[in-house]
Amino acid sequence: MESFKIRLAMKNLLWIQGLSCNGNTQSILNAENPQIYELFSKINLLYHPSLSVENNVLDIVEDIYRDRLSLDFLVVEGAITNNKNFHKIGDYSIGEIIEKLKNKARYIIAIGNCAVFGNIPSLYKENKDIKGLQFKFKEKEGFLPSDFKTSSGYPVINIPGCPSHPAWFTQTIITLYYEKPLILDKFNRPKELFMYLSHDGCIRNEYFEWKYEAEEFGHKEGCLFYNLGCRGPITHAPCNKILWNRVSSKTRAGMPCIGCTEYDFPLRENYFETKKNIGIPEEVPLGVSKRAYITISGVAKTLKNERVSKKLEETD
Amino acid sequence: MPRTAKKERKKLEIIKTACKLFAEQGYYNTTIPDIADALNMSVGNLYNYFNSKEELAKYIMQYSSKLLGEEIKKINEIDISTREKVFLLVKRFIEIAEENPELIDYFLRVFLSNREVFSEGCEGFLCVQEVVTEIMLFLEEGVRKGDLRNQDLFVAFVSIMGPLGGIVFLKGEGMLMKEPIEYADELAENIWRALKSD
Ligand code: SF4
């Protein structure tokens, strides 16, 4: 009886999926500090499509809708559509489920680039009605109106990434759990996480500064910006601050950042190639004009840094 | 006149005179006292402006680069077609060369001929950064718009600067039949053809 009371007093979380590859679920299963079971010992997990065996999601949705059950956190993974040929939960489209729950949840959290921006599912030519919760790519033309807010006063809180890092999710949930304020950026991403660029903290910064460019993947030396398409200086994500599996990141391992936390992630081509015009990158690091970029690169290249031109093992 | 503006004006005077002397007598045959003499200045006073002949030599390049770079920047920022920009660029370059013949002479006879003077602090594009940057920006924009061919940067760069340098050199040698500006449109047409996308 005692434990039942505690559970009643606990905050509830419902995780639902739209058009999704399940990637964010896979990611969250790898959460550490807190681990997923630690998180859900504090928060009552009403239902998760990959974890729940006994509970029926439609009963839970109905109970929330009829105010028989409170909903603190609605977590949505995957893009949203009203077209049942593309996605169905029972007899409902994912859009209809969101409609039922949108005014019941204290917080709605979109997890992963599909729920945030529509991402790859939004490229379907056969169905134009696939969106993120509050955005479709760059535009605030998602499934929910642009001025939509939940009862907490927040819009949909966006945690993009393809997939997102488990700590981005747990950190956000814990902040909200303790009713601490969250500052959001213009894409409604928590600033605490997304004010960093994935370039920040990359161990290749020295090569970036001196314009020593890698020609191949996987080497310890060289920056991946100029030849191999690295989006680090253009992408908001703390990938080199909060490491993946606590040990590494793409760019540390010698693979370029592919910009998967940004709205235009699926809109680009040739992910492993830097688009250049006459040898000049079409897109330059954030905050810098092309004129400034060309000037500083020219100077850096001319001045040369002995250290970066050597294999790391051969440096003094 | 505020002191800094006055100082800048004096520097400009020194540059013009030094340029002329360097070009006429050669860099090594021209001394700081020669330059001071020509300016009716004391040697000590001249050193208030430049610490050494080498510093003066480099400053002249930086000054010229700024002057030309700012002009190209203006052209870059005008909303006209890429082809029109090429024509305007050629015209402005020749005008500037006509207005500042001593700078051109200096570039051809000192900067290009005494590379050792410029090997530290002026190596590569360091002292001509503004011009190079603006030309690169011009080329990048042209390619991005689809007007120019996505070719090697250095090939494109010399396709612009080569003919321009050539025509002012010929003028300096007294070889041209007409005034350089009268060749502007034909030169621009050639440069445009070397760069355009189809
Ligand atoms: S590899 Fe990418 S993230 Fe790392 S320094 Fe270079 S540009 Fe920045």
Side-chain angles (χ1 to χ4, degrees), chain A residues 120-138:
Chain A
I120 293 163
S122 279
L123 296 176
Y124 278 132
K125 292 202 178 61
E126 297 77 5
N127 179 4
K128 297 263 178 259
D129 167 51
I130 301 180
K131 302 163 175 175
L133 271 175
Q134 222 167 357
F135 283 84
K136 176 151 183 177
F137 301 125
K138 194 182 191 174

Side-chain angles (χ1 to χ4, degrees), chain A residues 197-209 211-214 222-226 229-234 240 249-252 254-257 285:
Chain A
L197 301 177
S198 72
H199 175 73
D200 298 338
C202 176
I203 53 172
R204 295 170 192 271
N205 278 185
E206 192 181 5
Y207 297 103
F208 177 86
E209 280 163 26
K211 303 291 156 228
Y212 183 84
E213 311 293 340
C223 167
L224 312 159
F225 178 70
Y226 186 74
C230 185
R231 306 283 295 176
I234 315 171
N240 272 305
S249 69
K250 284 197 185 72
T251 63
R252 288 186 180 206
M255 136 106 194
C257 163

Side-chain angles (χ1 to χ4, degrees), chain A residues 276-282 290-291 294-295 298-299 302-303, chain B residues 73 123 126 129 133-134 136-137 140 143-144 150-151 153 156:
Chain A
K276 278 178 284 200
N277 300 321
I278 218 140
I280 300 159
E282 184 158 311
K290 205 164 273 178
R291 181 169 281 116
I294 292 174
T295 305
V299 172
T302 309
L303 292 181
Chain B
K73 183 174 175 196
E123 61 266 47
L126 283 187
Q129 193 68 49
T133 300
E134 295 305 327
M136 283 166 86
L137 281 169
E140 199 272 340
V143 174
R144 187 155 31 87
N150 200 357
Q151 58 179 309
L153 172 66

Side-chain angles (χ1 to χ4, degrees), chain A residues 47-86:
Chain A
Y47 178 83
H48 184 295
S50 299
L51 304 176
S52 303
V53 189
E54 287 166 9
N55 299 352
N56 180 322
V57 65
L58 293 176
D59 293 344
I60 290 169
V61 169
E62 203 54 29
D63 280 349
I64 296 168
Y65 185 63
R66 304 256 169 241
D67 292 323
R68 293 192 290 256
L69 195 58
S70 69
L71 181 59
D72 297 285
F73 304 106
L74 173 63
V75 180
V76 182
E77 176 182 8
I80 312 301
T81 180
N82 274 319
N83 187 330
K84 289 184 196 164
N85 291 332
F86 278 75

